[in-house]
Amino acid sequence: MTQDTEWARMRAELDIANLVHACAQATDQRKEAAFAHCYTEDGEFHRSGKVFRGSTEIAHSLRERKASLQRRHVFTNLQVQLQSADQAQGQCYCLVYDKEEAAEAGLPPILADIQDAYQRVNGQWKIQRRVVRRSFI
């Protein structure tokens, strides 16, 4: 592997990690447009037995959360496998912390396994497909 190839791999992994974190921030802050922007135009988001397809459905998926529920996503153990210069696969864990606004304490955390497919579009990495599976509640 040449030094240029290694730098390109490391840059792709960093860009994808930043994408995963930006997606979490947009989700937690209920920023629909920013959340949808993390996905390709024909992206898919699989969660809780539902599939959201395309930017509009993915953006509107955030509306399913109760308005009074505060939520934080913590992504960890991200592993990225580059398939080509413009395709990658990834998996990680996600801890989800919920708290009702009026409650003093939060709800028990949820652990989910995340499986992603990434595609580079116009030089920017996007989530092409995300599958969320709860592991522990």
Side-chain angles (χ1 to χ4, degrees):
M1 185 178 295
T2 68
Q3 185 174 4
D4 287 344
T5 304
E6 183 64 15
W7 282 112
R9 181 192 61 77
M10 290 178 2
R11 177 58 194 243
E13 289 175 357
L14 177 61
D15 288 348
I16 289 169
N18 285 334
L19 168 66
V20 168
H21 296 300
C23 187
Q25 291 283 327
T27 301
D28 293 344
Q29 297 168 14
R30 298 177 194 252
K31 293 184 177 179
E32 292 181 14
F35 182 60
H37 185 72
C38 294
Y39 287 81
T40 60
E41 288 294 318
D42 62 346
E44 293 182 5
F45 177 40
H46 299 246
R47 181 194 70 205
S48 301
K50 297 179 183 177
V51 181
F52 303 93
R53 289 184 174 88
S55 298
T56 301
E57 283 187 19
I58 290 170
H60 291 170
S61 71
L62 296 182
R63 297 178 184 180
E64 293 191 353
R65 187 180 338 150
K66 293 188 322 187
S68 63
L69 188 66
Q70 300 171 349
R71 177 167 283 170
R72 295 294 179 265
H73 293 79
V74 179
F75 285 82
T76 187
N77 295 17
L78 175 64
Q79 293 182 318
V80 175
Q81 301 84 34
L82 292 178
Q83 309 296 310
S84 70
D86 295 322
Q87 297 283 331
Q89 300 288 320
Q91 57 277 336
C92 62
Y93 302 132
C94 178
L95 278 168
V96 181
Y97 295 92
D98 288 333
K99 181 183 172 295
E100 289 286 343
E101 284 181 353
E104 289 185 27
L107 301 168
I110 298 166
L111 177 64
D113 294 328
I114 310 291
Q115 295 288 324
D116 285 340
Y118 307 104
Q119 180 177 358
R120 187 163 30 195
V121 179
N122 297 323
Q124 188 173 22
W125 286 99
K126 304 275 188 175
I127 300 168
Q128 186 176 36
R129 183 171 193 264
R130 171 165 280 179
V131 178
V132 179
R133 290 189 180 89
R134 286 187 178 193
S135 302
F136 305 111
I137 298 176

